[in-house]
Amino acid sequence: MNNNRSKNKVLVFIILLLLITNFAVLGYFLFFRTGKAPEKNKFRDFTAVLQKEVGFNDQQVAQFNELKKGNWQQALDKMQEIIQIKNTIFELSKQDNTPDSIIERLADSIGTLQREVEINVYKHVVATRKICTADQVPAYDSLIKRIINRGRMGRPSEAPHRKSEK
């Protein structure tokens, strides 16, 4: 019986130690961690990446910023429309007997808007690529490829490959 009490004391001590450690880690991440830059600096950060990884000079950055102004606003407008339609679909999900045809029409409109966003992105990438010198094109292409693949669900390029064994 005395042996069980000492085991219980050790277990209680370990549990308390783990709880304290968890709270310390949580406190660190909530209060002391600097984290990422705010979202509003995303493009400034991207121009820094273009300078660092691709080798853009100040003139090229200025050209990129001009391209970005028009293209980004168009993309934001389309993405805002997509969000509004998704919210409409969500609200319709709360109602009974919403016809499938309405949901299909809304989903089709999302597809059309997303298509326009993708075409806009394509045009922006092509225009930005034209700003690059011949030496910068491979680095720019590599950067864009990494950005495209980063958005993929499950990151298939990092997934282990299965080989059939026979």
Side-chain angles (χ1 to χ4, degrees):
M1 180 144 162
N2 196 18
N3 194 18
N4 284 340
R5 277 193 172 165
S6 65
K7 284 182 183 179
N8 286 344
K9 284 182 181 181
V10 170
L11 289 175
V12 168
F13 175 75
I14 291 172
I15 290 171
L16 286 174
L17 182 66
L18 289 172
L19 278 172
I20 292 169
T21 305
N22 284 340
F23 284 125
V25 170
L26 182 63
Y28 170 77
F29 282 111
L30 290 176
F31 301 111
F32 299 110
R33 187 171 160 224
T34 56
K36 293 183 180 181
E39 288 294 318
K40 64 183 178 183
N41 293 331
K42 208 175 215 176
F43 280 116
R44 194 172 339 139
D45 292 344
F46 187 68
T47 55
V49 170
L50 287 172
Q51 287 176 311
K52 181 180 176 185
E53 292 190 27
V54 180
F56 269 25
N57 59 34
D58 292 339
Q59 180 184 3
Q60 289 171 310
V61 168
Q63 288 176 300
F64 172 78
N65 287 332
E66 283 301 311
L67 285 173
K68 175 186 71 181
K69 283 179 188 174
N71 288 336
W72 183 240
Q73 190 56 53
Q74 288 176 4
L76 280 177
D77 292 344
K78 300 280 186 230
M79 288 186 276
Q80 189 59 42
E81 286 182 61
I82 290 170
I83 290 169
Q84 289 171 350
I85 294 169
K86 287 182 177 186
N87 283 326
T88 301
I89 291 172
F90 174 68
E91 291 302 319
L92 289 171
S93 73
K94 296 176 185 178
Q95 299 175 7
D96 292 335
N97 302 323
T98 301
D100 289 345
S101 61
I102 292 175
I103 303 305
E104 290 170 5
R105 194 171 37 229
L106 289 169
D108 286 344
S109 63
I110 291 173
T112 300
L113 288 167
Q114 187 63 44
R115 178 181 179 271
E116 292 171 13
V117 168
E118 297 302 326
I119 290 170
N120 189 27
V121 168
Y122 167 79
K123 289 178 180 178
H124 180 71
V125 168
V126 169
T128 304
R129 195 171 191 269
K130 289 179 181 176
I131 295 172
C132 297
T133 64
D135 293 340
Q136 293 170 332
V137 168
Y140 178 74
D141 290 347
S142 174
L143 174 65
I144 296 303
K145 186 73 171 177
R146 283 195 328 263
I147 290 170
I148 290 169
N149 288 330
R150 181 176 27 179
R152 288 190 151 162
M153 295 298 292
R155 299 183 188 250
S157 61
E158 296 175 8
H161 299 285
R162 291 185 185 176
K163 295 181 182 178
S164 59
E165 297 177 30
K166 288 190 178 183

